[in-house]
Amino acid sequence: MTADPSRWDLFGSALWPIVHGAIASTIPMAVVSFAIGLLIALALALMRLSRSRFASGTARLYISLVRGTPLLVQLFVIFYGLPSIGIVLQPWPSAVAAFSLNVGGYGAEVIRAAILSVPPGQWEAAYMIGMSHRRTLSRIILPQAARVSVPPLSNTFISLVKDTSLASLILVTELFRQAQKVAAFSQQFMLLYLEAALVYWVVCLVLSTAQGSLENRLDRHVAH
Amino acid sequence: MSPIEASPPGGQALLSVHGLSKTFGANPVLRSIDLTIERGRVLALIGPSGSGKTTLLRCLNGLELADGGTINAPGELPLDFTTPPTRSRLNALRDRSGMVFQHYNLFPHKTVLQNVLEGPVVVQRRPRAEATASALELLARVGLSEKTHAYPFQLSGGQQQRVGIVRALALQPQLLLFDEPTSALDPELVGDVLRLIKELAADGWTMVIATHELEFAREVAHEVAFLDAGTILERGHPSQLLRNPQHERTRQFLHRVLHPF
Ligand SMILES: Nc1ncnc2c1ncn2[C@@H]1O[C@H](COP(=O)(O)OP(=O)(O)OP(=O)(O)O)[C@@H](O)[C@H]1O
Ligand SMILES: [Mg+2]
C-alpha cells in the first residue's frame, strides 16, 4: 500500500461506520451476553458443586458440550437450525443467546475453581456465627471468589469481544460486518480489514486497562 | 462483657456429653467421650497431636457431625447422634457456642468492625446501633479501638486472634470454644491472647480450650482433660493432673511437652 490520498479518504470515511458498529452493536452485544453468561456460569458452578448428582452431572454435560463444540457451530444451530423446529430468532437475539450460553460454559469452570479456592475456614467461621449456606455464599465466599476470578473472566470477556465478529455470519451489522460492507464496495480488503482489526485492538486495550483498575479496587483488602 | 446470665458458683451443667463418637472412614477419632461442661467453668483439653481435641470441639458446635452418642442440655431433649439430627436441632447446638479458631479465620474482605458485626447484625438481626456500641466496647477492651476500620491483613497475628475472640463474644454465646488459640502466633504475641482469655475466665465465661500451653491450662482451667487416641484417659484438677498424673500415657505426654529436648 502506498500513501495514496484516496486510501486515506477511504480509511477516514469508513472509520465512522466501523466505530458505529462497535458502539451500537459489538460492545452492547458483548456486554449483554457476558452479563447473562455470568449468571448462567454462576448457576452452573453452583450445580457442579452441589451434592445432587443430577445437578452436577447436568452441569458437567452442559460445560462439556459448550467447550467441545465450535462457537460458530453453536451460532449456526441457533440461527439457522432452530427455525426448523419452529423457533425463529432474529440475528441479534440469536447472537446474544449463543454468546451467553458459551460464556456460561467457560465461566462456570472459572467460578467453580474460584469458589473452591476460598479456604474451608471461611465456611467454618460463617457457620460458627450462625449464617445459612446461602448467606455464606453471597456474603463471605463469592466476594472472595470474585477477586480470584477477575483475571480469567476478563480474558473470557476480551475473547468474547473478538468472537462477536462471528455474528457477522448471521447478518448482525456489527463492527466487522460494517468493514466487510465497505470492503466489498470499494474492493480495498487489506485496508478495511486492518482498520477493523485496529478498532478491535483499541477496544481490547481499553478493556485490559479497566481490568487492571478493577483488580486494584478489589485488592484493597489483601496484602501485597 | 460477662456472660448474659450471671454465672452460678458452678456445678450446674451447661452441656453433658455421653458416649460421643466420631469415625473418619476407618479411623475412630473419638471413642465414647463422656464430658460435663459446667456453667462458669473452664475445661482445658490437652493431649498429643491427632488425639481428637479439634474434632471434639467441632462436634460440640455441630461443625462436625458426631456419629454416635448424645449431647444434653438441661431442660431440653437430648441430641442423639446415632441418627443424624435435624438441621434445626443442630442449629440450636451451634447457636449455644462461639468458637475461636487456631488460624483465626477472619473474613479478609471485611474490616475488623464488620467481622465482629456480621454475627449480631446480619445473622441475629440485633439493632445495628446497639450492636455497634457493644462491638466497639469489646474492641476497646482488647486494645483494638484504633483498628476498627482496618482489614485483617493489616493486623498482627495476635491482633487478628483478639478480633477472632471478640467476634465470638459478640454472638453472646453461653459457651466459648477455643481450638489452640495461640499455636499459630509468634511467641512474643502469645501472652496478650492468653491474658485476654484469662480475663474472660475471671468474668465467668464458660469455656472449653484445647491447648498445648500447660502452664496456662494450670492457671486458668478449673479442670483438665487428657485426651489420648480419642478417649478421655483422665481428667481432674489442673494441679493434680499436671503434677501427678495417674496414667503412664499422661506422664509420657507431659514429659514430652515439658522436656522437648
Ligand atoms: N476431616 C477429616 N477427615 C479425615 N480425618 C480427619 C479429619 N479431621 C481430623 N481427622 C483425623 O482425626 C484425628 C484427630 O484429629 P484432630 O484434629 O481432632 O486432632 P487434634 O488432637 O486436634 O490434633 P492437633 O493437636 O494436631 O491439633 C487425626 O488422626 C486426623 O487425621
Ligand atoms: Mg487440633
Side-chain angles (χ1 to χ4, degrees):
Chain A
M1 252 197 297
T2 52
D4 178 345
S6 74
R7 289 217 169 112
W8 286 114
D9 286 349
L10 181 61
F11 185 94
S13 60
L15 190 58
W16 172 241
I18 292 176
V19 169
H20 184 263
I23 294 171
S25 193
T26 294
I27 293 171
M29 187 161 53
V31 169
V32 171
S33 305
F34 191 67
I36 301 173
L38 277 188
L39 292 179
I40 297 172
L42 178 60
L44 287 168
L46 295 177
M47 283 168 72
R48 278 281 268 123
L49 292 168
S50 87
R51 244 172 265 161
S52 149
R53 281 236 179 130
F54 177 74
S56 78
T58 309
R60 195 191 290 260
L61 176 65
Y62 176 96
I63 293 165
S64 165
L65 282 174
V66 163
R67 303 216 295 185
T69 56
L71 176 55
L72 183 60
V73 174
Q74 297 165 13
L75 199 62
F76 274 34
V77 165
I78 289 174
F79 185 68
Y80 295 112
L82 285 184
S84 70
I85 57 164
I87 304 172
V88 182
L89 293 177
Q90 294 305 303
W92 219 82
S94 297
V96 168
F99 295 141
S100 347
L101 293 172
N102 194 265
V103 167
Y106 281 91
E109 291 297 272
V110 170
I111 294 177
R112 186 177 78 101
I115 290 175
L116 289 175
S117 78
V118 178
Q122 293 292 305
W123 287 95
E124 297 178 354
Y127 170 89
M128 186 278 287
I129 65 171
M131 268 194 185
S132 64
H133 182 87
R134 183 174 293 217
R135 249 215 198 120
T136 302
L137 257 181
S138 66
R139 294 187 63 88
I140 307 299
I141 305 300
L142 290 180
Q144 296 181 59
R147 172 61 192 90
V148 183
S149 44
V150 166
L153 286 179
S154 302
N155 288 340
T156 307
F157 186 55
I158 290 172
S159 297
L160 173 65
V161 169
K162 294 177 290 181
D163 288 345
T164 55
S165 59
L166 292 174
S168 63
L169 293 166
I170 60 165
L171 314 173
V172 178
T173 49
E174 42 66 76
L175 190 164
F176 188 60
R177 186 154 176 81
Q178 296 287 46
Q180 275 181 315
K181 280 185 188 164
V182 184
F185 173 77
S186 66
Q187 296 292 305
Q188 294 291 340
F189 296 103
M190 184 66 166
L191 177 77
L192 282 145
Y193 290 162
L194 281 179
E195 190 170 355
L198 180 71
V199 176
Y200 278 114
W201 185 49
V202 170
V203 172
C204 290
L205 275 183
V206 171
L207 289 173
S208 302
T209 315
Q211 172 190 351
S213 56
L214 181 60
E215 282 174 28
N216 283 340
R217 239 176 66 81
L218 291 170
D219 265 348
R220 69 191 185 282
H221 57 258
V222 281
H224 298 280
Chain B
M1 64 175 157
S2 15
I4 342 154
E5 301 133 82
S7 51
Q12 191 189 340
L14 181 68
L15 286 181
S16 52
V17 173
H18 296 290
L20 200 72
S21 51
K22 174 71 186 176
T23 302
F24 285 114
N27 181 14
V29 172
L30 297 179
R31 313 174 196 230
S32 195
I33 299 281
D34 292 325
L35 199 65
T36 307
I37 298 164
E38 289 170 3
R39 278 181 198 280
R41 317 252 299 169
V42 178
L43 170 66
L45 295 176
I46 62 169
S49 181
S51 57
K53 304 180 294 292
T54 299
T55 308
L56 176 55
L57 288 173
R58 290 163 61 92
C59 286
L60 288 179
N61 76 351
L63 204 49
E64 205 76 74
L65 203 55
D67 42 34
T70 59
I71 297 181
N72 307 305
E76 285 176 31
L77 283 174
L79 187 52
D80 188 343
F81 288 95
T82 37
T83 54
T86 62
R87 169 73 60 86
S88 69
R89 298 243 31 215
L90 272 180
N91 287 350
L93 178 69
R94 168 191 66 183
D95 294 345
R96 201 180 285 283
S97 63
M99 185 155 183
V100 175
F101 300 91
Q102 181 174 0
H103 298 284
Y104 336 129
N105 298 359
L106 298 183
F107 306 127
H109 59 303
K110 295 189 179 290
T111 64
V112 166
L113 186 60
Q114 288 168 341
N115 264 276
V116 176
L117 289 180
E118 202 67 11
V121 174
V122 177
V123 179
Q124 299 177 348
R125 304 208 154 280
R126 298 215 295 266
R128 179 174 285 274
E130 172 205 308
T132 306
S134 62
L136 290 174
E137 202 175 301
L138 287 170
L139 288 169
R141 163 142 187 215
V142 305
L144 290 175
S145 291
E146 311 285 284
K147 300 287 182 187
T148 41
H149 298 295
Y151 285 95
F153 82 91
Q154 297 167 311
L155 305 180
S156 73
Q159 291 170 330
Q160 291 191 50
Q161 191 58 299
R162 280 180 272 156
V163 176
I165 293 172
V166 169
R167 177 174 68 179
L169 293 175
L171 301 168
Q172 303 185 344
Q174 296 179 326
L175 171 65
L176 289 171
L177 306 172
F178 291 84
D179 188 11
E180 298 193 27
T182 59
S183 62
L185 295 177
D186 290 336
E188 76 271 20
L189 302 176
V190 169
D192 283 347
V193 172
L194 293 185
R195 211 169 303 123
L196 171 60
I197 298 173
K198 224 190 263 183
E199 287 174 25
L200 295 175
D203 287 348
W205 285 89
T206 311
M207 308 198 264
V208 181
I209 308 174
T211 184
H212 285 139
E213 305 277 348
L214 297 184
E215 185 53 30
F216 167 72
R218 197 181 58 73
E219 279 182 49
V220 78
H222 299 96
E223 189 174 35
V224 176
F226 174 67
L227 219 64
D228 185 57
T231 53
I232 293 182
L233 207 52
E234 61 180 303
R235 54 187 296 178
H237 192 271
S239 57
Q240 178 263 316
L241 189 140
L242 296 173
R243 292 226 178 86
N244 186 20
Q246 300 303 299
H247 281 77
E248 183 54 28
R249 297 276 308 164
T250 320
R251 239 187 307 266
Q252 284 170 356
F253 170 75
L254 294 175
H255 185 80
R256 262 203 318 278
V257 174
L258 297 172
H259 308 282
F261 303 110

